[in-house]
Amino acid sequence: MAPVDVETEKSITLPPPHFVLVPLMGQGHTTPMADLACLIVGRGARVSLVTTPVNAARLRGLAAMARSALLPLEIVELPFPPADDGLPRGSNDNSDNVLQLFLSLYRLAGPLEAYVRSLPWRPSCIISDSCNPWTVGVARSVGIPRLTFTGPSCFYSLCDFNVAKHGLLHNGGVVPGMPVQVELSKDTWAAAFLTCMPAWGKFVEEVREGIRMADGAVVNTFLGLEEQFVACYEAALGKPVWALGPFFLNSRDEEARAVDQSAVIAWLDMMDQSTVVYVCFGSLAQMLPKQLYEVGYGLEDSGKPFLWVVKESEIVLPEAQEWLQALEARTAGQGLIVRGWAPQLAILSHRAVGGFMTHCGWNSLLESVAHGVPVITWPHFGDQFLNEWLAVHVLGVGVPVMPFGNDKAMVRGHIARAVSELMGGGAVAEERRIKCKEYKERAHGAIAKGGSSHENLTLLLHSFMWSGSKE
Ligand code: UDP
């Protein structure tokens, strides 16, 4: 295997480091981890990306790409033993019971340890999703370092750390220890830090402990976006925090634009520059029919062109389907409705898209900012509430659908107002767009050679230079 590509130090002769990546099984977590794997092998280090048999099917494209490019990336299928906890084999992406899924993955500890021990060398490091706290025991048992991959924004991770540290788990109000003002209502606080779900308490505590005990954290962000929060989080943890993102810009973004020939892109090609608002709420959030109708009427009332992704599961009722068809007929020429899944990266990088109404999942928000697209924010759960705060109050790139702290039912008027505010003219809207373009440039600068994320990865690879020995 080639020595690690440190670019500045061609004389290095040590073998490259070997990272074992342990993603959380689920779209929003596995995709950035797969991007991280590509980033690492692209720099000459070796990666084993572990997964379950069901999820391995989703990574076949990645495995084929790695094989054809002769990259040292191996997809390792760990056996996922059936349990007596009611979760049948193969149902490991059951989003109806997310906690059950997270807990079921604890059963991967044995197979992961057996895999690591079966290797003829000792890997340099495990990088584990923070929602897999069971890897703490594996890393300790086999005697290798462990970094956590914290999927949300660094801003959220820092808020969560501070709230836990101060024992403020049921408050509303000001989040302590932050370098900027962050203030949440009691309900939003409970939803953001998951205290509204008592069954999650023990698991959340294990996740926090897993982060505190790790040798550092890898975050999918860049210093030009979250520098002060990365610095504060590093100080809080007392461990290195490696900002290496946006991961997807490294390869997948270009690929998405190059290969996408879909009808969605053909429709966007017909629209004027920066006129379309793209509407999508990620892979998990589900709209109730009455919320769906409010979104639809709000988009129609805004009078602006829109591209809206509706999940199949949101329109199972015949009346919801009929309603959607009627909306389509009324808004033909103004809007396009996609049922199921849309090529988000290709859409966000299209010149016609000028705004994104999002649930503020971190991947979506990062993808939007890195493409210079300002956002309309409608968080649903967990870190999304803090990501909204970051977008609106800290970065200045977002318009909330509802005023902060207002948890009343959604109404079409708020949606139409937010769309007009984001997509309209005026100095404030223009400033938002300018800020977003600046973040886009910084994002590309961060991953380019010499940029902060590129340099951080060089340092990370150096820190885990692998001896190849089992001793
Ligand atoms: N995504 C997509 N097409 C869709 C919906 C989602 O490509 O129709 C992708 C999106 O680009 C992002 C991920 O799915 O990378 C969603 O992750 P995020 O963290 O935003 O939200 P989650 O799904 O975890 O709630």
Side-chain angles (χ1 to χ4, degrees):
M1 192 187 302
V4 64
D5 170 20
V6 290
E7 289 165 3
T8 47
E9 295 179 38
K10 297 286 182 201
S11 59
I12 289 276
T13 52
L14 285 172
H18 176 202
F19 295 88
V20 176
L21 268 52
V22 190
L24 182 72
M25 312 308 154
Q27 192 82 32
H29 289 248
T30 301
T31 307
M33 208 55 142
D35 289 341
L36 177 63
C38 290
L39 201 57
I40 294 173
V41 294
R43 298 288 292 281
R46 177 186 181 125
V47 168
S48 301
L49 180 62
V50 306
T51 187
T52 57
V54 167
N55 285 281
R58 294 195 188 135
L59 294 170
R60 265 189 209 126
L62 177 65
M65 181 282 291
R67 262 196 311 277
S68 66
L70 299 177
L71 291 171
L73 169 60
E74 187 193 7
I75 309 291
V76 180
E77 271 184 51
L78 297 177
F80 188 44
D84 51 12
D85 60 6
L87 194 79
R89 179 194 276 273
S91 70
N92 52 354
D93 58 354
N94 177 4
S95 58
D96 290 345
N97 198 338
V98 179
L99 178 61
Q100 188 74 343
L101 159 69
F102 288 6
L103 296 179
S104 73
L105 293 175
Y106 282 55
R107 301 201 307 271
L108 288 173
L112 177 62
E113 181 168 341
Y115 164 71
V116 173
R117 288 194 185 283
S118 74
L119 292 169
W121 57 80
R122 187 160 49 197
S124 321
C125 179
I126 289 176
I127 305 181
S128 159
D129 193 294
S130 58
C131 294
N132 288 329
W134 48 270
T135 55
V136 173
V138 178
R140 192 187 294 133
S141 169
V142 296
I144 58 177
R146 184 182 62 95
L147 300 178
T148 49
F149 164 63
T150 47
S153 59
C154 206
F155 176 76
Y156 172 80
S157 299
L158 182 62
C159 287
D160 187 66
F161 181 93
N162 284 327
V163 161
K165 181 178 160 193
H166 290 85
L168 299 173
L169 296 174
H170 300 282
N171 287 32
V174 175
V175 177
M178 294 298 291
V180 296
Q181 173 86 1
V182 188
E183 200 170 347
L184 302 176
S185 71
K186 204 163 181 166
D187 287 347
T188 309
W189 186 291
F193 302 114
L194 304 182
T195 50
C196 56
M197 299 189 289
W200 284 64
K202 184 167 178 288
F203 173 72
V204 169
E205 195 33 57
E206 283 178 11
V207 169
R208 289 182 176 136
E209 184 63 7
I211 293 172
R212 285 192 289 262
M213 290 177 64
D215 297 284
V218 171
V219 285
N220 188 9
T221 189
F222 55 102
L223 295 185
L225 189 72
E226 289 201 276
E227 185 159 19
Q228 59 178 331
F229 307 117
V230 173
C232 291
Y233 194 41
E234 198 162 58
L237 291 177
K239 314 269 173 64
V241 173
W242 309 93
L244 307 178
F247 300 165
F248 68 90
L249 271 190
N250 177 53
S251 53
R252 205 158 46 87
D253 192 49
E254 233 168 73
E255 203 181 293
R257 256 173 306 176
V259 301
D260 204 285
Q261 305 290 330
S262 64
V264 176
I265 301 302
W267 183 83
L268 284 173
D269 285 344
M270 297 186 304
M271 309 306 279
D272 290 337
Q273 172 108 17
S274 305
T275 53
V276 176
V277 60
Y278 167 57
V279 185
C280 178
F281 300 103
S283 62
L284 298 174
Q286 294 279 341
M287 291 269 168
L288 298 170
K290 65 176 184 196
Q291 292 173 312
L292 202 71
Y293 302 161
E294 292 300 306
V295 175
Y297 287 130
L299 292 173
E300 184 179 9
D301 291 352
S302 77
K304 304 282 185 204
F306 65 85
L307 167 52
W308 180 20
V309 186
V310 175
K311 292 187 183 73
E312 298 284 3
S313 55
E314 292 170 331
I315 45 168
V316 282
L317 294 177
E319 54 267 36
Q321 287 174 29
E322 274 167 34
W323 177 87
L324 203 62
Q325 279 164 7
L327 177 77
E328 267 176 322
R330 288 198 308 279
T331 57
Q334 179 194 351
L336 180 71
I337 297 170
V338 176
R339 290 164 176 75
W341 191 256
Q344 183 157 303
L345 284 181
I347 290 169
L348 286 172
S349 60
H350 197 285
R351 56 155 189 83
V353 174
F356 178 14
M357 188 187 294
T358 171
H359 68 311
C360 297
W362 182 238
N363 294 299
S364 291
L365 189 56
L366 189 65
E367 287 163 12
S368 201
V369 166
H371 285 104
V373 178
V375 291
I376 295 167
T377 58
W378 185 354
H380 286 59
F381 55 84
D383 62 307
Q384 297 159 14
F385 292 99
L386 274 309
N387 296 339
E388 173 182 60
W389 187 278
L390 177 69
V392 175
H393 293 285
V394 183
L395 302 176
V397 299
V399 174
V401 163
M402 296 285 278
F404 269 81
N406 189 338
D407 57 358
K408 291 195 193 105
M410 287 295 140
V411 287
R412 63 201 74 176
H414 285 294
I415 289 173
R417 187 246 333 130
V419 172
S420 302
E421 222 177 284
L422 191 85
M423 305 298 286
V428 178
E430 193 49 36
E431 196 186 330
R432 223 179 271 122
R433 284 190 273 272
I434 291 169
K435 278 186 183 154
C436 233
K437 293 278 176 287
E438 168 74 23
Y439 288 124
K440 174 184 177 178
E441 276 170 31
R442 291 190 198 178
H444 283 83
I447 61 137
K449 196 171 171 183
S452 61
S453 296
H454 189 275
E455 291 296 295
N456 281 342
L457 182 53
T458 304
L459 292 171
L460 175 69
L461 297 177
H462 273 293
S463 309
F464 290 99
M465 203 55 79
W466 165 62
S467 72
S469 156
K470 267 205 151 182
E471 303 313 315

